[in-house]
Amino acid sequence: MNAGMNAPRGLAVFIVTFLSAFAAARTPAANAGALANDAAPIILIQNATVLTVSHGKIEHGSILIKDGKIAEVGPSVKAPKDVQVIDAGGQFVMPGIIDCHSHIAIDGDVNEGSIAVSSIANIADVLNPDDVDIYRDLAGGVTVANVLHGSANPIGGQTVVIKLRWGQAASKLPFEGALPGIKFALGENPKHSNFGARGAAARYPATRMGVEATIRGAFAEARDYKATWDLYNKRTSAGEKNLIPPRRDLRLEPLVEVLEGKRYVHAHCYREDEILMLLRVAKEFGFKVRTLQHVLEGYKVADELAAAGVGASTFSDWWAYKVEAFDAIPYNAALMTRRGVLVSVNSDDAEEATHLNQEAAKSMKFGGLSHDEALKLVTLNPAIQLGIEKRVGSIDAGKDADLVIYNHDPLSAYAVVQKTLIDGRIYFDRERDVANRASLEKEKKALLEKEKKAGEKKPDAAAPKPGEKKPEEKPKAPAVFVSRGAL
């Protein structure tokens, strides 16, 4: 019992010291976040090679930032009084990278995989602003991420688009005005080919045809549910009194939003046959699939994707990591682009997101996309896919000042992020980051030493004194193990 009491005490000390270290590690960006309620500074970035994405390259260009927006961009921009100047001579400025498939900033598991349709679950409810991957992705030039539910369900949870405002509260992360989404999944994952605890009963569906039937059945319910509410609202508007409203169904309401075009569908998929299946179901019920995620066999059905107006958010060259990925090719993004599909390159991984600029560059080698076309794969194209292109994705006057400064061309293997700005505020500064490393390392060592001392065994205050009889120990309750299963 006493040993059990000492362990939590030591753990508590460790948690306190760890949080102190973590708070110190995030101090530079936290200072920027603390200014969120203050007016954004007026900044002039000058002498840079500006890669606008939308209207070419500006040599020795300047960008004026006011109130968190791009006020002016061009070869000669007059500096206002008291402006903060960033001299980017010899450096490159591009729009902030937009990751259309991310799982960062989530507190807890990404999958609510216990049921086939988990549309009631909402990623926005579990955003974690202290996830260090936010800061690491900022260091890779990412400013916006589409944070998705996992792929354990044919119809998964609700998704949210966030800005990587490191140091701010969870409520400040969502991208204001961005349309919410919902995650669908096809193939091996939702039919649980590789998941499930031993001895556990299989969860429906367990086949590809079951996945299709699940999606079709859910939308049949949603269509009827919508019709019931439409009738009630019509009769109410006509002046009928004492009507009893239909019973709310929180599982179906997100699907009704899909039918009404108020929520985007982002569908995990690989194989051409399943891609076409989902397009048929969408056509049957009159909704749009906004993006196909992964879509590694998209090159096989690129014409059909273009005709349906479906976006493709894919990997640059991931291959053979599962049976569904054996037909993946590094030419996928370029081939779909050439056939008229709106394509983006995503990460699906916090580490991969730190070099999405290089992932986009691969399309120049594999498929021959131009420099601007490659840049669009991680800027303007994902912005369009997420419906936020009026605010981000290119360097144009009036858009949010979400910008990245590199020391070399962003599509070069030697490019390293120097600064990342969101809403005109600097959330990552490499020079400041490097300068703080020595002091942070020193503090880390001091905190670890404190933790070590706190964990040393102390005299047991409740131990019997000489001559005293040791109190009889009560039997311990048996340990209970709960298997959560891996997804």
Side-chain angles (χ1 to χ4, degrees), residues 81-390:
K81 186 179 179 182
D82 299 326
V83 69
Q84 176 184 337
V85 177
I86 298 176
D87 188 352
Q91 298 180 335
F92 292 74
V93 185
M94 66 171 280
I97 290 174
I98 300 172
D99 189 356
C100 199
H101 188 131
S102 176
H103 297 294
I104 66 169
I106 296 175
D107 183 16
D109 294 333
V110 69
N111 276 306
E112 177 50 66
S114 58
I115 51 178
V117 178
S118 61
S119 51
I120 195 170
N122 193 344
I123 290 295
D125 293 336
V126 291
L127 286 179
N128 176 18
D130 293 330
D131 182 1
V132 71
D133 286 326
I134 299 174
Y135 185 70
R136 290 169 178 162
D137 286 2
L138 277 169
V142 180
T143 56
V144 174
N146 185 29
V147 185
L148 299 175
H149 185 272
S151 54
N153 332 69
I155 298 179
Q158 301 168 43
T159 69
V160 62
V161 179
I162 67 170
K163 286 200 176 192
L164 275 58
R165 298 177 177 123
W166 176 249
Q168 296 195 29
S171 61
K172 299 294 185 180
L173 295 183
F175 192 120
E176 303 83 357
L179 213 61
I182 189 168
K183 178 73 175 292
F184 284 17
L186 313 176
E188 299 293 309
N189 289 19
K191 73 186 187 70
H192 282 196
S193 298
N194 309 302
F195 310 131
R198 290 181 180 178
R203 187 213 71 193
Y204 177 82
T207 64
R208 284 181 164 80
M209 58 185 173
V211 170
E212 178 178 0
T214 298
I215 297 173
R216 177 175 281 109
F219 274 98
E221 289 184 66
R223 183 173 57 189
D224 292 345
Y225 179 70
K226 179 179 182 300
T228 302
W229 272 99
D230 287 346
L231 178 60
Y232 169 78
N233 291 330
K234 180 179 179 180
R235 293 175 64 184
T236 301
S237 299
E240 291 191 45
K241 306 293 184 182
N242 301 321
L243 294 175
I244 299 176
R247 180 180 180 181
R248 289 189 64 192
D249 191 325
L250 300 181
R251 182 179 66 96
L252 295 178
E253 287 187 0
L255 304 186
V256 171
E257 291 176 341
V258 170
L259 293 174
E260 294 175 340
K262 298 176 181 177
R263 182 176 294 275
Y264 290 150
V265 172
H266 303 290
H268 161 114
C269 62
Y270 290 92
R271 291 178 16 174
E272 59 173 326
D273 53 348
E274 294 178 327
I275 292 169
L276 296 177
M277 173 275 291
L278 182 59
L279 295 185
R280 287 194 297 268
V281 173
K283 184 176 181 180
E284 175 184 344
F285 288 93
F287 68 86
K288 289 283 187 180
V289 176
R290 189 69 179 191
T291 68
L292 293 168
Q293 298 289 328
H294 310 318
V295 61
L296 297 189
E297 292 188 17
Y299 65 95
K300 297 181 180 181
V301 289
D303 290 340
E304 288 81 356
L305 299 184
V310 179
S313 184
T314 189
F315 297 135
S316 60
D317 57 357
W318 287 19
W319 169 79
Y321 53 89
K322 60 192 298 187
V323 67
E324 296 172 306
F326 266 76
D327 275 1
I329 59 174
Y331 296 88
N332 188 37
L335 288 173
M336 288 191 291
T337 297
R338 292 288 177 253
R339 303 302 292 184
V341 181
L342 183 69
V343 181
S344 66
V345 169
N346 67 54
S347 74
D348 193 19
D349 177 80
E351 190 280 329
E352 181 88 351
T354 64
H355 49 87
L356 273 176
N357 56 311
Q358 295 177 7
E359 299 305 303
K362 293 175 181 178
S363 64
M364 298 173 69
K365 175 179 175 61
F366 298 108
L369 293 188
S370 68
H371 191 279
D372 279 355
E373 287 175 323
L375 276 180
K376 285 180 180 179
L377 295 178
V378 291
T379 54
L380 188 56
N381 287 4
I384 296 171
Q385 291 175 345
L386 298 175
I388 53 177
E389 72 276 12
K390 291 183 179 180

Side-chain angles (χ1 to χ4, degrees), residues 16-27 129-132 166 440 447:
V16 171
T17 56
F18 174 78
L19 290 176
S20 298
F22 187 77
R26 61 183 286 190
T27 297
D130 293 330
D131 182 1
V132 71
W166 176 249
L440 290 175
L447 290 168

